[in-house]
Structures are given as C-alpha cells and as structure tokens.
Amino acid sequence: MTFKDLPANGIVSTTAEVLPEWLDYNDHMNVAYYVAAFDLGIDAFKAVLGIDLDYINREKKSTVALESHITYQREASLGEELRIETRLLNFDGKRCHLYQEMYRQQTLLSTLESLSISFDTTLRRSCPFEPVMAERYRQAFEAQKIVPIPEWVGKSVSMKKKT
C-alpha cells in the first residue's frame, strides 16, 4: 500500500488470522496477541503513510509507542479472521493519537488507543515529523474526521465505587 491508497474515510484496514500459538490456557486468543494483531494494523497504517522498512532504513526515522489503552470486548478463537481498522484521531509536530478496532466479521472484539511519537533511530530520541510525513498525517487526519469518534475514546482504566 502507498499513500495514494489512503481510503477516503482515512481508515486503513488489514487482516490477521488467529494462530495456534496465539491461544492461551483458556483456549482463546491471549491478551499479548491482541496487541500483536493491532501492531499489524499500525504497520499497515504506517505503510500507507510511507513509513515502511525502506523509509525507516533510508531516513533513520520511525515512530515509537508512548502509551496505549486496550479493551477486550469479545474473545477470538483459533482460525478466525480478524479485521483491524486503524485511524488517526489527532497529531501535532511530533505525536500521533491512533485508534484501532478489531472485528470478527461485523462483531467488535477489541479496541486500542495509542499515543506514538516520531523517532530518530540514529539519535534514539524524538524528533519532528519530516514535512512530507507531517502533510500525510494531516491528510489522514482530515479524511477520518467524517467518521464519528466512539464515546469511549480517551477514557482511562478505573473502578467505580459502589454506592
């Protein structure tokens, strides 16, 4: 995929299959592999923007995660095909707020929000997005604005007190 392949709604979709090694002792997908599947979605999103392995090796720039929040709403089982949808909710000169949803057909299984930062792989520190990448992030951000943001975006983990 290339930047010209950015969908009109700004949401990049990819798929993954639940593999035997992804199962835990409860015979469903282990929590670590939800994150691994979402990471495939981030890689697909970055590839559309042009942040692929060739770019990273050539320019010595990438992105790295700073924070994430995942929800587990339904279990996934062996052999199921998962669809991971990734979109950009916000960004600035260095950071990007991504939102992802994982589906089995039309059933929402899990969500992940993450905050990432532009990263210089030589200096091993954050850096501003290069102008061409900043413009691509802006276009991806503008495209996805037509899709409503779910009400649970931006919430943190908590336990409500019983009254």
Side-chain angles (χ1 to χ4, degrees), residues 51-80:
I51 305 174
D52 57 14
L53 195 53
D54 288 339
Y55 171 85
I56 294 167
N57 288 332
R58 182 180 66 252
E59 302 298 327
K60 308 299 185 210
K61 302 284 191 300
S62 187
T63 62
V64 295
L66 296 175
E67 180 179 349
S68 65
H69 178 241
I70 191 167
T71 68
Y72 305 96
Q73 299 181 23
R74 302 279 187 279
E75 63 184 347
S77 300
L78 179 63
E80 292 182 332

Side-chain angles (χ1 to χ4, degrees), residues 2 5-6 18 27 29 40 42 70 76-77 87 98:
T2 63
D5 298 319
L6 180 71
V18 180
D27 204 30
M29 195 161 89
L40 295 173
I42 289 174
I70 191 167
S77 300
R87 68 192 266 207
L98 296 175

